Tab-separated table of all heavy atoms in Angstrom:
chain	number	residue	atom	x	y	z
Q	24	VAL	N	8.773	6.276	-5.051
Q	24	VAL	CA	9.541	5.236	-4.382
Q	24	VAL	C	8.605	4.085	-4.007
Q	24	VAL	O	7.380	4.170	-4.124
Q	24	VAL	CB	10.249	5.796	-3.126
Q	24	VAL	CG1	11.283	6.832	-3.525
Q	24	VAL	CG2	9.229	6.409	-2.174
Q	25	PHE	N	9.205	3.013	-3.501
Q	25	PHE	CA	8.438	1.808	-3.185
Q	25	PHE	C	7.370	2.063	-2.127
Q	25	PHE	O	6.277	1.485	-2.181
Q	25	PHE	CB	9.392	0.706	-2.706
Q	25	PHE	CG	8.692	-0.423	-2.008
Q	25	PHE	CD1	7.893	-1.310	-2.712
Q	25	PHE	CD2	8.813	-0.577	-0.628
Q	25	PHE	CE1	7.233	-2.345	-2.067
Q	25	PHE	CE2	8.152	-1.605	0.020
Q	25	PHE	CZ	7.360	-2.486	-0.695
Q	26	MET	N	7.641	2.924	-1.150
Q	26	MET	CA	6.678	3.158	-0.080
Q	26	MET	C	5.362	3.690	-0.616
Q	26	MET	O	4.293	3.413	-0.053
Q	26	MET	CB	7.264	4.122	0.959
Q	26	MET	CG	8.275	3.499	1.894
Q	26	MET	SD	7.624	2.033	2.755
Q	26	MET	CE	6.217	2.727	3.596
Q	27	GLU	N	5.414	4.460	-1.710
Q	27	GLU	CA	4.168	4.960	-2.307
Q	27	GLU	C	3.341	3.806	-2.868
Q	27	GLU	O	2.110	3.788	-2.741
Q	27	GLU	CB	4.482	5.977	-3.403
Q	27	GLU	CG	5.165	7.234	-2.901
Q	27	GLU	CD	4.264	8.024	-1.961
Q	27	GLU	OE1	3.034	8.031	-2.159
Q	27	GLU	OE2	4.799	8.623	-1.007
Q	28	SER	N	3.995	2.839	-3.484
Q	28	SER	CA	3.277	1.656	-3.972
Q	28	SER	C	2.685	0.868	-2.808
Q	28	SER	O	1.552	0.374	-2.881
Q	28	SER	CB	4.224	0.757	-4.774
Q	28	SER	OG	4.629	1.373	-5.969
Q	29	ALA	N	3.458	0.751	-1.725
Q	29	ALA	CA	2.964	0.028	-0.551
Q	29	ALA	C	1.733	0.717	0.025
Q	29	ALA	O	0.766	0.057	0.422
Q	29	ALA	CB	4.069	-0.077	0.492
Q	30	PHE	N	1.747	2.045	0.069
Q	30	PHE	CA	0.592	2.777	0.589
Q	30	PHE	C	-0.620	2.606	-0.319
Q	30	PHE	O	-1.758	2.541	0.154
Q	30	PHE	CB	0.938	4.254	0.741
Q	30	PHE	CG	1.495	4.605	2.092
Q	30	PHE	CD1	2.855	4.501	2.346
Q	30	PHE	CD2	0.675	5.024	3.112
Q	30	PHE	CE1	3.372	4.811	3.584
Q	30	PHE	CE2	1.189	5.341	4.370
Q	30	PHE	CZ	2.539	5.224	4.607
Q	31	LEU	N	-0.406	2.545	-1.622
Q	31	LEU	CA	-1.520	2.328	-2.548
Q	31	LEU	C	-2.175	0.968	-2.309
Q	31	LEU	O	-3.404	0.857	-2.231
Q	31	LEU	CB	-1.027	2.437	-3.991
Q	31	LEU	CG	-0.757	3.839	-4.531
Q	31	LEU	CD1	-0.056	3.768	-5.878
Q	31	LEU	CD2	-2.061	4.622	-4.659
Q	32	VAL	N	-1.348	-0.076	-2.195
Q	32	VAL	CA	-1.889	-1.413	-1.934
Q	32	VAL	C	-2.589	-1.442	-0.583
Q	32	VAL	O	-3.684	-2.014	-0.443
Q	32	VAL	CB	-0.759	-2.466	-1.987
Q	32	VAL	CG1	-1.294	-3.844	-1.605
Q	32	VAL	CG2	-0.150	-2.522	-3.387
Q	33	ALA	N	-1.987	-0.801	0.421
Q	33	ALA	CA	-2.597	-0.785	1.745
Q	33	ALA	C	-3.927	-0.044	1.740
Q	33	ALA	O	-4.866	-0.429	2.446
Q	33	ALA	CB	-1.642	-0.133	2.745
Q	34	GLY	N	-4.034	1.020	0.949
Q	34	GLY	CA	-5.295	1.741	0.853
Q	34	GLY	C	-6.412	0.880	0.297
Q	34	GLY	O	-7.561	0.941	0.761
Q	35	ILE	N	-6.081	0.049	-0.688
Q	35	ILE	CA	-7.083	-0.851	-1.270
Q	35	ILE	C	-7.494	-1.917	-0.263
Q	35	ILE	O	-8.683	-2.221	-0.094
Q	35	ILE	CB	-6.522	-1.489	-2.555
Q	35	ILE	CG1	-6.301	-0.410	-3.610
Q	35	ILE	CG2	-7.455	-2.567	-3.085
Q	35	ILE	CD1	-5.626	-0.916	-4.855
Q	36	VAL	N	-6.522	-2.494	0.427
Q	36	VAL	CA	-6.822	-3.529	1.421
Q	36	VAL	C	-7.612	-2.944	2.581
Q	36	VAL	O	-8.563	-3.557	3.082
Q	36	VAL	CB	-5.520	-4.186	1.919
Q	36	VAL	CG1	-5.800	-5.171	3.035
Q	36	VAL	CG2	-4.808	-4.889	0.764
Q	37	LEU	N	-7.239	-1.759	3.015
Q	37	LEU	CA	-7.911	-1.118	4.145
Q	37	LEU	C	-9.360	-0.780	3.804
Q	37	LEU	O	-10.274	-1.006	4.601
Q	37	LEU	CB	-7.160	0.147	4.555
Q	37	LEU	CG	-7.767	0.978	5.693
Q	37	LEU	CD1	-7.759	0.192	6.989
Q	37	LEU	CD2	-7.006	2.289	5.860
Q	38	GLY	N	-9.586	-0.237	2.617
Q	38	GLY	CA	-10.937	0.162	2.253
Q	38	GLY	C	-11.822	-0.995	1.834
Q	38	GLY	O	-13.004	-1.027	2.163
Q	39	GLY	N	-11.263	-1.941	1.110
Q	39	GLY	CA	-12.061	-3.057	0.612
Q	39	GLY	C	-11.773	-3.301	-0.862
Q	39	GLY	O	-12.144	-2.478	-1.708
Q	40	MET	N	-11.113	-4.406	-1.166
Q	40	MET	CA	-10.703	-4.693	-2.538
Q	40	MET	C	-11.914	-4.936	-3.434
Q	40	MET	O	-12.885	-5.580	-3.038
Q	40	MET	CB	-9.782	-5.911	-2.578
Q	40	MET	CG	-8.431	-5.673	-1.929
Q	40	MET	SD	-7.235	-6.971	-2.317
Q	40	MET	CE	-8.005	-8.375	-1.554
Q	41	GLY	N	-11.834	-4.397	-4.648
Q	41	GLY	CA	-12.873	-4.634	-5.641
Q	41	GLY	C	-14.068	-3.709	-5.546
Q	41	GLY	O	-15.018	-3.869	-6.296
Q	42	THR	N	-14.056	-2.735	-4.635
Q	42	THR	CA	-15.169	-1.803	-4.495
Q	42	THR	C	-14.703	-0.385	-4.794
Q	42	THR	O	-13.508	-0.072	-4.715
Q	42	THR	CB	-15.757	-1.847	-3.079
Q	42	THR	OG1	-14.766	-1.421	-2.136
Q	42	THR	CG2	-16.216	-3.248	-2.727
Q	43	VAL	N	-15.662	0.479	-5.125
Q	43	VAL	CA	-15.344	1.876	-5.414
Q	43	VAL	C	-15.261	2.679	-4.122
Q	43	VAL	O	-14.264	3.348	-3.846
Q	43	VAL	CB	-16.393	2.481	-6.365
Q	43	VAL	CG1	-16.147	3.975	-6.533
Q	43	VAL	CG2	-16.356	1.786	-7.718
Q	44	GLY	N	-16.313	2.593	-3.313
Q	44	GLY	CA	-16.334	3.361	-2.072
Q	44	GLY	C	-15.231	2.974	-1.114
Q	44	GLY	O	-14.635	3.832	-0.446
Q	45	GLY	N	-14.923	1.677	-1.032
Q	45	GLY	CA	-13.879	1.224	-0.130
Q	45	GLY	C	-12.512	1.768	-0.501
Q	45	GLY	O	-11.745	2.205	0.368
Q	46	VAL	N	-12.194	1.748	-1.800
Q	46	VAL	CA	-10.892	2.244	-2.235
Q	46	VAL	C	-10.789	3.750	-2.006
Q	46	VAL	O	-9.754	4.255	-1.557
Q	46	VAL	CB	-10.672	1.898	-3.717
Q	46	VAL	CG1	-9.428	2.580	-4.255
Q	46	VAL	CG2	-10.556	0.392	-3.897
Q	47	LEU	N	-11.865	4.482	-2.296
Q	47	LEU	CA	-11.847	5.929	-2.062
Q	47	LEU	C	-11.649	6.232	-0.575
Q	47	LEU	O	-10.881	7.129	-0.212
Q	47	LEU	CB	-13.150	6.554	-2.560
Q	47	LEU	CG	-13.387	6.502	-4.075
Q	47	LEU	CD1	-14.732	7.119	-4.413
Q	47	LEU	CD2	-12.277	7.233	-4.816
Q	48	LEU	N	-12.331	5.472	0.281
Q	48	LEU	CA	-12.203	5.691	1.723
Q	48	LEU	C	-10.803	5.333	2.213
Q	48	LEU	O	-10.171	6.103	2.958
Q	48	LEU	CB	-13.256	4.872	2.463
Q	48	LEU	CG	-13.228	4.954	3.995
Q	48	LEU	CD1	-13.474	6.387	4.455
Q	48	LEU	CD2	-14.255	4.010	4.603
Q	49	GLY	N	-10.289	4.166	1.821
Q	49	GLY	CA	-8.966	3.745	2.257
Q	49	GLY	C	-7.869	4.677	1.777
Q	49	GLY	O	-6.964	5.045	2.551
Q	50	ALA	N	-7.950	5.098	0.504
Q	50	ALA	CA	-6.942	6.015	-0.024
Q	50	ALA	C	-7.002	7.364	0.679
Q	50	ALA	O	-5.961	7.978	0.962
Q	50	ALA	CB	-7.144	6.193	-1.532
Q	51	SER	N	-8.208	7.829	0.973
Q	51	SER	CA	-8.352	9.120	1.658
Q	51	SER	C	-7.754	9.053	3.057
Q	51	SER	O	-7.061	9.988	3.493
Q	51	SER	CB	-9.827	9.515	1.730
Q	51	SER	OG	-10.381	9.636	0.433
Q	52	ILE	N	-8.005	7.955	3.771
Q	52	ILE	CA	-7.477	7.820	5.135
Q	52	ILE	C	-5.948	7.801	5.124
Q	52	ILE	O	-5.290	8.516	5.895
Q	52	ILE	CB	-8.028	6.551	5.797
Q	52	ILE	CG1	-9.525	6.708	6.073
Q	52	ILE	CG2	-7.286	6.238	7.096
Q	52	ILE	CD1	-10.178	5.455	6.607
Q	53	LEU	N	-5.362	7.007	4.230
Q	53	LEU	CA	-3.911	6.853	4.234
Q	53	LEU	C	-3.188	8.087	3.709
Q	53	LEU	O	-2.008	8.290	4.009
Q	53	LEU	CB	-3.517	5.628	3.403
Q	53	LEU	CG	-3.882	4.280	4.015
Q	53	LEU	CD1	-3.299	3.146	3.187
Q	53	LEU	CD2	-3.388	4.174	5.447
Q	54	LYS	N	-3.866	8.895	2.910
Q	54	LYS	CA	-3.235	10.130	2.423
Q	54	LYS	C	-3.460	11.281	3.389
Q	54	LYS	O	-2.603	12.173	3.523
Q	54	LYS	CB	-3.806	10.498	1.050
Q	54	LYS	CG	-2.998	11.561	0.318
Q	54	LYS	CD	-1.616	11.055	-0.027
Q	54	LYS	CE	-0.819	12.088	-0.812
Q	54	LYS	NZ	0.535	11.608	-1.133
Q	55	LEU	N	-4.597	11.267	4.082
Q	55	LEU	CA	-4.937	12.370	4.966
Q	55	LEU	C	-4.221	12.279	6.310
Q	55	LEU	O	-3.752	13.292	6.849
Q	55	LEU	CB	-6.448	12.410	5.182
Q	55	LEU	CG	-7.024	13.585	5.975
Q	55	LEU	CD1	-6.703	14.895	5.269
Q	55	LEU	CD2	-8.524	13.418	6.151
Q	56	LEU	N	-4.127	11.068	6.862
Q	56	LEU	CA	-3.533	10.915	8.188
Q	56	LEU	C	-2.090	11.411	8.263
Q	56	LEU	O	-1.741	12.128	9.205
Q	56	LEU	CB	-3.614	9.456	8.633
Q	56	LEU	CG	-4.999	8.958	9.056
Q	56	LEU	CD1	-4.925	7.520	9.511
Q	56	LEU	CD2	-5.582	9.831	10.164
Q	57	PRO	N	-1.203	11.066	7.309
Q	57	PRO	CA	0.173	11.586	7.415
Q	57	PRO	C	0.239	13.111	7.363
Q	57	PRO	O	1.130	13.713	7.976
Q	57	PRO	CB	0.880	10.956	6.203
Q	57	PRO	CG	0.088	9.738	5.890
Q	57	PRO	CD	-1.324	10.101	6.191
Q	58	GLU	N	-0.687	13.738	6.622
Q	58	GLU	CA	-0.662	15.195	6.530
Q	58	GLU	C	-1.100	15.843	7.838
Q	58	GLU	O	-0.579	16.890	8.222
Q	58	GLU	CB	-1.592	15.652	5.396
Q	58	GLU	CG	-1.152	15.224	4.010
Q	58	GLU	CD	0.132	15.906	3.573
Q	58	GLU	OE1	0.446	16.990	4.120
Q	58	GLU	OE2	0.835	15.360	2.704
Q	59	LYS	N	-2.048	15.227	8.531
Q	59	LYS	CA	-2.573	15.814	9.760
Q	59	LYS	C	-1.823	15.362	11.011
Q	59	LYS	O	-2.036	15.937	12.075
Q	59	LYS	CB	-4.060	15.459	9.895
Q	59	LYS	CG	-4.944	16.236	8.932
Q	59	LYS	CD	-4.868	17.726	9.211
Q	59	LYS	CE	-5.732	18.542	8.292
Q	59	LYS	NZ	-5.638	19.995	8.589
Q	60	LEU	N	-0.986	14.362	10.890
Q	60	LEU	CA	-0.258	13.845	12.056
Q	60	LEU	C	1.236	14.071	11.913
Q	60	LEU	O	2.055	13.208	12.216
Q	60	LEU	CB	-0.562	12.361	12.255
Q	60	LEU	CG	-2.035	11.995	12.472
Q	60	LEU	CD1	-2.179	10.504	12.680
Q	60	LEU	CD2	-2.623	12.762	13.645
Q	61	ARG	N	1.603	15.255	11.444
Q	61	ARG	CA	3.025	15.549	11.264
Q	61	ARG	C	3.775	15.599	12.589
Q	61	ARG	O	4.983	15.373	12.642
Q	61	ARG	CB	3.190	16.869	10.507
Q	61	ARG	CG	2.750	16.782	9.050
Q	61	ARG	CD	3.088	18.040	8.277
Q	61	ARG	NE	2.705	17.932	6.874
Q	61	ARG	CZ	3.465	17.380	5.937
Q	61	ARG	NH1	4.629	16.886	6.266
Q	61	ARG	NH2	3.052	17.321	4.694
Q	62	PHE	N	3.069	15.931	13.681
Q	62	PHE	CA	3.722	15.932	14.987
Q	62	PHE	C	4.115	14.522	15.405
Q	62	PHE	O	4.950	14.325	16.284
Q	62	PHE	CB	2.773	16.521	16.039
Q	62	PHE	CG	1.620	15.626	16.399
Q	62	PHE	CD1	1.667	14.834	17.530
Q	62	PHE	CD2	0.493	15.545	15.593
Q	62	PHE	CE1	0.619	14.010	17.869
Q	62	PHE	CE2	-0.569	14.725	15.921
Q	62	PHE	CZ	-0.504	13.954	17.064
Q	63	PHE	N	3.517	13.524	14.726
Q	63	PHE	CA	3.787	12.119	15.019
Q	63	PHE	C	4.694	11.517	13.944
Q	63	PHE	O	4.676	10.319	13.701
Q	63	PHE	CB	2.445	11.378	15.047
Q	63	PHE	CG	2.444	10.148	15.925
Q	63	PHE	CD1	2.705	10.238	17.276
Q	63	PHE	CD2	2.173	8.907	15.387
Q	63	PHE	CE1	2.699	9.117	18.077
Q	63	PHE	CE2	2.163	7.775	16.175
Q	63	PHE	CZ	2.430	7.889	17.526
Q	64	GLN	N	5.489	12.397	13.302
Q	64	GLN	CA	6.201	12.017	12.092
Q	64	GLN	C	7.138	10.829	12.292
Q	64	GLN	O	7.211	9.936	11.444
Q	64	GLN	CB	6.985	13.217	11.560
Q	64	GLN	CG	7.692	12.950	10.230
Q	64	GLN	CD	8.287	14.224	9.661
Q	64	GLN	OE1	8.187	15.290	10.267
Q	64	GLN	NE2	8.906	14.123	8.504
Q	65	ASP	N	7.838	10.794	13.404
Q	65	ASP	CA	8.814	9.722	13.626
Q	65	ASP	C	8.152	8.373	13.866
Q	65	ASP	O	8.830	7.335	13.817
Q	65	ASP	CB	9.703	10.074	14.811
Q	65	ASP	CG	10.566	11.298	14.531
Q	65	ASP	OD1	10.806	11.578	13.341
Q	65	ASP	OD2	10.988	11.969	15.495
Q	66	TYR	N	6.864	8.383	14.172
Q	66	TYR	CA	6.182	7.138	14.511
Q	66	TYR	C	5.012	6.846	13.567
Q	66	TYR	O	4.181	6.010	13.871
Q	66	TYR	CB	5.658	7.202	15.953
Q	66	TYR	CG	6.738	7.511	16.963
Q	66	TYR	CD1	6.919	8.806	17.415
Q	66	TYR	CD2	7.567	6.502	17.445
Q	66	TYR	CE1	7.910	9.090	18.343
Q	66	TYR	CE2	8.553	6.784	18.366
Q	66	TYR	CZ	8.726	8.078	18.810
Q	66	TYR	OH	9.717	8.355	19.720
């Protein structure tokens, strides 16, 4: 769905566009946080 595309773009912006380490870091943060913050699901 569209939200997955939005998260991908946000991961690149968050980590740092045009870099390898930045994208890996941003993608890891945005994929890991929702899994570990399920108690915060509504927010």
Side-chain angles (χ1 to χ4, degrees):
V24 295
F25 164 71
M26 283 305 301
E27 296 296 326
S28 293
F30 270 87
L31 284 170
V32 175
I35 295 174
V36 175
L37 177 65
M40 292 193 296
T42 63
V43 173
V46 171
L47 294 178
L48 178 61
S51 300
I52 291 175
L53 290 187
K54 194 65 178 179
L55 186 60
L56 286 182
E58 295 293 337
K59 286 298 180 180
L60 301 181
R61 291 187 178 275
F62 72 98
F63 207 60
Q64 184 172 1
D65 295 336
Y66 304 97

